[in-house]
Amino acid sequence: MARKLDPNYLDIKEDYKLIHKWGFNSDRKRMACVVRNREGDVRMYLKGAAEVVIPKCTYIVHPDRSVSPMDKKTLEETLAYVESVAKLGLRTLAFAYKDLTPDDNWSTDLETFETRLGFVGVVAIEDPIRPSVPDSVLACQKAGIFVRMITGDNAITAAKIATDCHILTTNGIVLEGPQFEKMSDRELLDILPNLQVLARSTPAHKYRLVSLIRDSGEVVAVTGDGTNDAPALSAADVGLAMGIAGTEVAKQAADIIILDDNFASIVKSVMWGRCVFDNVRKFLQFQITVNVAALAIAFVGAITGYGTPLNSIQLLWVNLIMDTLAALALGTEKPTEELLLRKPYGRTGKLITWIMWRNIIGQSLYQIIILAFLLYGFDEHQNHLLIPGVKNGREAFDNGDSSVHYTIIFNVFVFCQVFNEINSRKVTNEMNVFKGIFTNPLFGIILSFIVFVQLMIVQFGGSAVKTVPLNWQQWLICIAIAFFTIPLGFLIRLIRVPLEPWEEEEEVLKL
């Protein structure tokens, strides 16, 4: 239509001077500007949502610049056309104008001048859906995330786009802003489980919906790019601002900035967030087990006169394994797609679950029992019942000397942590603790480093560490005893314990 009217943008810009402007806002859904040409004529140009602008027009301007009245039939036909293109997912924008006089008062509201408008035309704008968005929405839904669409588009356009993105389902509810505004919180809570699209919404509507969902106990994440989105971004548990299209105000109000403005990046952030949460839990599971076993055997040894089996230098090495190296090994596990099959933890999700307590208690008891047996398991001739040729080292310990007996206790304890670190890779009921172990090279490097240093300490530590070299049979016995933590972990996982709600969902998904 613009080409048929044969305009020249630069010429028009030179010929017309802007006098006044009413900016666009989400309440009136339109904007207008008043210009004066070289002859002194004043005209107001209006553009905005088609269903808002068109009913305000009283006549139509045709391509040949002739006019005809906007009667009821023409209005219905025009609005029907707008609805037909909206069903295709196109956004419609209507244009109109009105001739004014230089004496008019521009400080009044726009509504004062919205009479006898001339309808120029309507354009349908397509904003293509990124190819990755539908699959990303499905991935979010599989992860237990309820995706809602809040938009300024009309309900028909919004419903079409939401359907194409897999947001709107058969039983889903599409609500428009004015209707949403009239409803009470109680009424909204009743339809909230099925409310999937909020169309013709304002920032106030968005803020109210976010607050309502959050007050109902749900964890809410909100995306936004405009300055008006700042209240909703701040009210949400997680605010996600667009890095490219987002304003500085929106970015400052948000918790996370999506650098590429891509919904698929939200899915990645969910996956990484769950991965980090799991890695923290893995580290806690490992560290608590080490602490319980070390403290228990030290306490028992001290009160029974055998002293603390691990001396200060050995404990420093154990602490290094327990803290720094374990954090690097377990804290660098990479996310997998399987994390998206798990339901959200919610606000009440426990950091340490019953599954973790079961693993911690089971492994700690084994280590305490085996270390106690290594410490006290001697016959009347002071020969060890489990390891041939090993004498009771209590006397040497009392004299401050090294012994094979206490070296083996130290060696078994460290290797129990090495193998239990593999067990700690899983904080669920998953049986295969080796699954994905090669996806994190740092894990293997750290375990290898621990084994190498332990070998050096035992064989060459001498009086500095209070160790003596072990022969190959003793090494095999130490490794065999410690390796049993792996099959023991499998058996422990067979013990049923109460599950968290999200763990129950995960069990069902595995079945």
Side-chain angles (χ1 to χ4, degrees), residues 1-2 4-5 43-46 54 57-71 74 78 94-99 116-122:
M1 183 183 70
K4 289 182 179 180
L5 294 175
R43 176 174 288 181
M44 179 183 74
Y45 292 96
L46 183 78
I54 295 175
C57 299
T58 56
Y59 63 95
I60 303 172
V61 181
H62 297 282
D64 61 0
R65 303 191 182 186
S66 62
V67 298
S68 62
M70 176 73 81
D71 54 27
T74 306
T78 307
F95 300 88
Y97 74 91
K98 178 182 180 180
D99 290 321
R116 297 191 55 79
L117 293 174
F119 175 60
V120 177
V122 62

Side-chain angles (χ1 to χ4, degrees), residues 129 133-135 137-138 141 160-168:
I129 299 171
V133 170
D135 290 339
V137 172
L138 288 176
Q141 291 169 345
K160 170 62 177 174
I161 296 173
T163 302
D164 292 343
C165 293
H166 305 303
I167 295 174
L168 183 61

Side-chain angles (χ1 to χ4, degrees), residues 181-239:
E181 192 170 345
K182 294 176 183 177
M183 297 178 70
S184 66
D185 288 351
R186 181 68 264 168
E187 291 173 326
L188 289 173
L189 286 172
D190 291 337
I191 67 168
L192 204 56
N194 294 321
L195 179 58
Q196 295 173 345
V197 178
L198 181 59
R200 287 300 182 210
S201 65
T202 66
H205 297 153
K206 189 172 185 178
Y207 175 81
R208 183 189 177 194
L209 181 59
V210 170
S211 301
L212 195 64
I213 298 173
R214 191 177 182 190
D215 291 343
S216 67
E218 300 292 338
V219 178
V220 185
V222 173
T223 62
D225 55 10
T227 301
N228 290 337
D229 291 324
L233 290 170
S234 299
D237 293 286
V238 182

